Amino acid sequence: MSVPDRIPQVRRLADVAAVRARFDELGLDLTLDDEIEAGADAPLAQPWTVALADGPERTVGNRFAVLPMEGWDGTIDGRPTDLVARRWERFGASGAKLVWGGEAVAVRADGRANPNQLCIGPDSVDDLGDLRRRLVAAHAEQHGRTDDLLVGLQLTHSGRWSRPEGSPVPRTVYRHPVLDDRVPVDEGTLLTDDDLDDLSQRFVDAAGVAAEAGFDFVDVKACHGYLLHELLSGVDRDGPYGGALEDRARFQLATLAAIRDRVPDLGLGVRLSIYDLAPHEAGPDGVGRPAVSGPYRYAFGGDGTGTGIDLSETNRLLDLLAGAGVSMVCTTAGSPYHCPHAQRPAYFPPSDGYLPPADPLVEVARMIGATAVLRARHPELAFVGSGYSYLQEWLPHVAQAEVRAGRVDSVGIGRMVLSYPDLAADVLAGRPLDRRRLCRTFSDCTTAPRNGLVSGCFPLDEHYKAMPARVELTRIKREAEAARGGRRR
Ligand SMILES: Cc1cc2nc3c(=O)[nH]c(=O)nc-3n(C[C@H](O)[C@H](O)[C@H](O)COP(=O)(O)O)c2cc1C
Ligand code: SF4
């Protein structure tokens, strides 16, 4: 079977029975409901509660969450633009009652992943407060009450993947046998213990600003290969921030404790890559394969093979995070830089990616299944899941089954919110899905920023469809396709 034919597209699975048969054929720990329920008693409409730090318990009005989605569209001094505001307003109008982080906001200029990433400093209260207000106002306009809407801000330092002015200026925490070849590292890029102490303070300052701007919680981001995630795999690093798990987690725990001291009422969340894989690369047939042979010891939550997972350390870390006052975890996996198939399952890879090594449903099921395993072990934490967009028309069916079975507290949606922001509202109201707006995982929202353009849903969002950048994107994709020997996927 040729590469393009070996994986059936989700849109070709005609009905629930066909989807179920495909899950069975792949041996997946994934199920879906036959019918989507609407109305006040529907599983996805059920409110849930979370105790945020020292503040009162909060009610979250339903089981949908918007995942953080950056647009590479801030000003070069890190401030929001109209495009950023548009995205946040659409997040608010989506109908989801939890907005997990909005988008990654750098706590320091050298930690920006691109020159257009938002950056938070003492002067950001008005800008960020305005974004939050617009989001809440859009929610109020479409959905009425907002006392059951929870909005957080994601704080980040991009570490190895920092590109504050466009070209890579990595800040790493250990020498990596594969990833060091993918960005220009030298001894000077390694952050010292003092550098890390200083950086922790920047997270604390940023959390203070977020609280002043009115956010309910901050997400001290530890995922996707960025700095706090890389620290978790620093098994070879000497000193207080490397080695045993308690040391690898020290930066995160100390930062969370200091935030609690500074702003006791502010909720604490962590977006965590609950497992990681070895860096992947395209093989001669364009299909992704591990770029290492033999054992791989730098995957936090990995089983040492580079492709399998072992959640023992993840479980231990979650205990530590809960002890530090974290009440919510948003689960994700791997990194969009070194194993994108695990992080954003897609049928069509981004221009610098590779064809999926297996049916992307396998990675969807792995992320959803691992989240359920962790949730069962940690009743003290609320879990927000990720990786659902690939399910397309079956997203609500799987989401309802997961929530009904108590395998996740809230279903996080990323790419689908870009193409079809009000999917959650349609599901909750019992309206049929608008199939023309379903994200088909074309990956344009990843390909565009990888090539210096703003990110958005160029194929399906009228606003981006009309942009001159779309013409440029089409050219870039054609060139990438030619380089892959004509394989679109
Ligand atoms: C364009 C784009 C921007 C993203 N920006 C962020 C971000 O700022 N912070 C973050 O934690 N994840 C980010 N992600 C990852 C998503 O939050 C989500 O984990 C991923 O898309 C998988 O979920 P999905 O299948 O619903 O899309 C981004 C993904 C995309 C495609
Ligand atoms: S560009 Fe649109 S359709 Fe493509 S993956 Fe992104 S959100 Fe989905």
Side-chain angles (χ1 to χ4, degrees), residues 107 155-157 199-207 220 228 251 255:
V107 299
L155 304 178
T156 192
H157 187 291
L199 183 60
S200 176
Q201 193 52 47
R202 303 303 285 262
F203 274 90
V204 180
D205 294 343
V220 182
L228 273 70
F251 181 91
T255 302

Side-chain angles (χ1 to χ4, degrees), residues 69 75 189 196 223 294 310 317 339 440 447:
M69 301 288 291
T75 64
T189 66
L196 289 172
C223 60
D310 173 353
L317 177 66
C339 53
R440 297 299 182 188
T447 295

Side-chain angles (χ1 to χ4, degrees), residues 8-67:
Q9 287 195 54
V10 170
R11 67 190 307 171
R12 309 266 177 242
L13 301 174
D15 52 25
V16 169
V19 181
R20 203 168 276 137
R22 183 63 183 158
F23 289 175
D24 288 346
E25 192 183 352
L26 294 167
L28 305 182
D29 169 26
L30 199 58
T31 184
L32 77 171
D33 280 357
D34 288 306
E35 302 289 341
I36 299 304
E37 297 175 39
D41 294 334
L44 291 168
Q46 293 315 299
W48 54 287
T49 55
V50 59
L52 287 186
D54 290 348
E57 198 166 73
R58 290 285 303 269
T59 297
V60 187
N62 63 39
R63 301 305 178 119
F64 281 109
V66 176
L67 295 175

Side-chain angles (χ1 to χ4, degrees), residues 285-371:
D285 53 1
V287 176
R289 60 178 189 192
V292 290
S293 55
Y296 181 74
R297 41 201 301 269
Y298 303 101
F300 175 75
D303 67 355
T305 63
T307 53
I309 70 172
D310 173 353
L311 299 176
S312 324
E313 281 210 336
T314 313
N315 270 311
R316 282 174 53 209
L317 177 66
L318 291 176
D319 286 337
L320 296 171
L321 293 178
V326 168
S327 49
M328 295 188 294
V329 173
C330 181
T331 60
T332 176
S335 157
Y337 298 98
H338 69 249
C339 53
H341 70 289
Q343 202 261 329
R344 329 188 160 157
Y347 196 78
F348 304 96
S351 61
D352 60 350
Y354 46 77
L355 301 175
D359 189 319
L361 288 171
V362 171
E363 293 300 339
V364 172
R366 177 145 69 170
M367 229 187 300
I368 290 175
T371 300

Side-chain angles (χ1 to χ4, degrees), residues 391-462:
L391 293 161
Q392 301 163 47
E393 30 278 90
W394 312 110
L395 187 161
H397 297 253
V398 173
Q400 182 177 290
E402 290 299 307
V403 167
R404 209 170 35 76
R407 284 162 50 98
V408 74
D409 294 287
S410 178
V411 171
I413 310 181
R415 290 163 293 180
M416 191 69 85
V417 174
L418 298 183
S419 69
Y420 186 175
D422 43 348
L423 174 134
D426 282 351
V427 171
L428 293 165
R431 291 188 286 267
L433 292 184
D434 178 355
R435 298 189 72 220
R436 292 162 310 169
R437 293 195 290 151
L438 289 174
C439 165
R440 297 299 182 188
T441 68
F442 295 124
S443 291
D444 285 13
C445 51
T446 303
T447 295
R450 292 279 160 89
N451 290 279
L453 305 173
V454 296
S455 174
C457 185
F458 286 90
L460 301 176
D461 178 342
E462 295 303 328

Side-chain angles (χ1 to χ4, degrees), residues 209-226:
V209 172
E212 231 184 299
F215 288 91
D216 300 305
F217 69 97
V218 284
D219 162 18
V220 182
K221 178 180 187 178
C223 60
H224 302 164
Y226 297 117

Side-chain angles (χ1 to χ4, degrees), residues 122-332:
D123 301 334
S124 306
V125 175
D126 289 349
D127 281 346
L128 294 173
D130 183 54
L131 278 184
R132 194 196 65 86
R133 265 190 303 279
R134 283 167 180 256
L135 184 154
V136 173
H139 189 83
E141 195 181 322
Q142 297 293 327
H143 308 289
R145 62 187 285 199
T146 60
D147 59 319
D148 58 353
L149 171 70
L150 213 59
V151 186
L153 187 69
Q154 184 175 63
L155 304 178
T156 192
H157 187 291
S158 303
R160 180 176 292 276
W161 306 107
S162 299
R163 286 171 169 262
E165 286 170 27
S167 48
V169 187
R171 306 306 320 263
T172 60
V173 294
Y174 63 90
R175 302 305 300 256
H176 191 286
V178 180
L179 299 180
D180 276 9
D181 292 337
R182 298 194 178 179
V183 283
V185 296
D186 55 40
E187 284 304 324
T189 66
L190 272 176
L191 289 164
T192 65
D193 296 342
D194 286 346
D195 291 336
L196 289 172
D197 293 340
D198 183 55
L199 183 60
S200 176
Q201 193 52 47
R202 303 303 285 262
F203 274 90
V204 180
D205 294 343
V209 172
E212 231 184 299
F215 288 91
D216 300 305
F217 69 97
V218 284
D219 162 18
V220 182
K221 178 180 187 178
C223 60
H224 302 164
Y226 297 117
L227 188 79
L228 273 70
H229 183 215
E230 181 161 290
L231 273 162
L232 292 175
S233 59
V235 287
D236 294 336
R237 184 180 169 105
D238 293 328
Y241 293 114
L245 177 65
E246 286 69 16
D247 298 319
R248 283 179 270 137
R250 187 183 303 279
F251 181 91
Q252 177 116 34
L253 297 171
T255 302
L256 290 163
I259 293 175
R260 266 207 105 173
D261 273 357
R262 169 84 73 89
V263 267
D265 290 346
L266 185 67
L268 295 177
V270 171
R271 192 155 201 227
L272 180 67
S273 283
I274 53 176
Y275 55 82
D276 199 1
L277 307 179
H280 277 55
E281 63 185 7
D285 53 1
V287 176
R289 60 178 189 192
V292 290
S293 55
Y296 181 74
R297 41 201 301 269
Y298 303 101
F300 175 75
D303 67 355
T305 63
T307 53
I309 70 172
D310 173 353
L311 299 176
S312 324
E313 281 210 336
T314 313
N315 270 311
R316 282 174 53 209
L317 177 66
L318 291 176
D319 286 337
L320 296 171
L321 293 178
V326 168
S327 49
M328 295 188 294
V329 173
C330 181
T331 60
T332 176

